[in-house]
Amino acid sequence: MSADVPHAQVPEMLDAWRMVTARRGVAGRLPLSSLRRLADSLVDTDGEDVVYSLDFDRDALQVPYVELRVDAQLPLLCQRSLQRFLFPVKIVQRLGLIRNESDEAALPEDYEPLLVPDDGMLQGAGLVEDELILAVPVVPTMPGTEAMERDWPAEEAELERANPFAALSALKNKSD
């Protein structure tokens, strides 16, 4: 995806079924600051944009889908060094459009299901935000901080204290 995609006026709501029939797509940029749910996982939203595209179509088996492409740099707080770093995210995800949860079983293996509301309307920015939320690591660590663990390995006594079941194990050994 090109980094020079302009801030486009992408419609807030997209009619998924019309987009599939017309084999249309939309592309643009979103400021991170506009993604409120994602902002809770970030250190800040200063100056970063998300470049994305949503392409609607049907595959060879006539399964309707939207192919989502996202390119972003997420500012996270490293849990090892407590420093801000930019976490690169590149997503290419094909979402199979389904009307009922029971339709999920018919989707090809590599498709993620996307339950389309009865009115067929999807919020494009919401799809992008959902995928970015899923891409945020549970424990963000800056590349290059792995050496800290290797240089200062935990001592055996420290590891035993960290094990909450160590006390139970000691009690069990005493009763034997």
Side-chain angles (χ1 to χ4, degrees):
M1 225 175 352
S2 173
D4 50 331
V5 174
H7 282 277
Q9 287 295 350
V10 176
E12 186 175 326
M13 299 300 284
L14 302 167
D15 186 329
W17 306 120
R18 281 189 179 183
M19 296 291 284
V20 166
T21 301
R23 301 173 80 177
R24 301 250 346 237
V26 296
R29 286 178 167 270
L30 289 169
L32 275 180
S33 58
S34 70
L35 305 175
R36 299 281 181 226
R37 292 179 295 133
L38 176 64
D40 292 340
S41 302
L42 306 176
V43 174
D44 57 62
T45 57
D46 297 340
E48 297 295 329
D49 283 346
V50 176
V51 179
Y52 71 94
S53 69
L54 302 168
D55 295 306
F56 293 82
D57 204 349
R58 289 185 182 274
D59 65 10
L61 300 173
Q62 297 303 305
V63 175
Y65 69 85
V66 58
E67 187 168 280
L68 177 74
R69 292 179 181 273
V70 180
D71 190 359
Q73 297 279 329
L74 302 179
L76 300 177
L77 182 66
C78 176
Q79 296 302 299
R80 288 189 176 136
S81 66
L82 298 179
Q83 294 177 343
R84 179 189 188 270
F85 74 103
L86 292 176
F87 181 71
V89 176
K90 288 193 183 302
I91 300 170
V92 177
Q93 180 69 53
R94 207 170 254 198
L95 305 171
L97 304 177
I98 58 175
R99 295 178 194 269
N100 301 306
E101 289 181 15
S102 59
D103 297 340
E104 182 180 346
L107 289 177
E109 230 178 81
D110 57 335
Y111 284 35
E112 287 295 321
L114 178 61
L115 185 61
V116 178
D118 292 336
D119 64 1
M121 301 304 282
L122 294 175
Q123 185 183 28
L127 292 177
V128 171
E129 186 171 21
D130 289 346
E131 291 299 318
L132 285 171
I133 289 170
L134 292 172
V136 173
V138 175
V139 180
T141 52
M142 185 168 39
T145 59
E146 296 83 12
M148 285 183 180
E149 223 169 78
R150 194 173 54 246
D151 293 342
W152 292 289
E155 296 176 10
E156 192 173 324
E158 202 175 343
L159 290 173
E160 286 178 21
R161 281 195 308 268
N163 182 352
F165 299 105
L168 292 175
S169 177
L171 288 174
K172 182 180 177 214
N173 290 339
K174 285 182 183 178
S175 65
D176 287 342

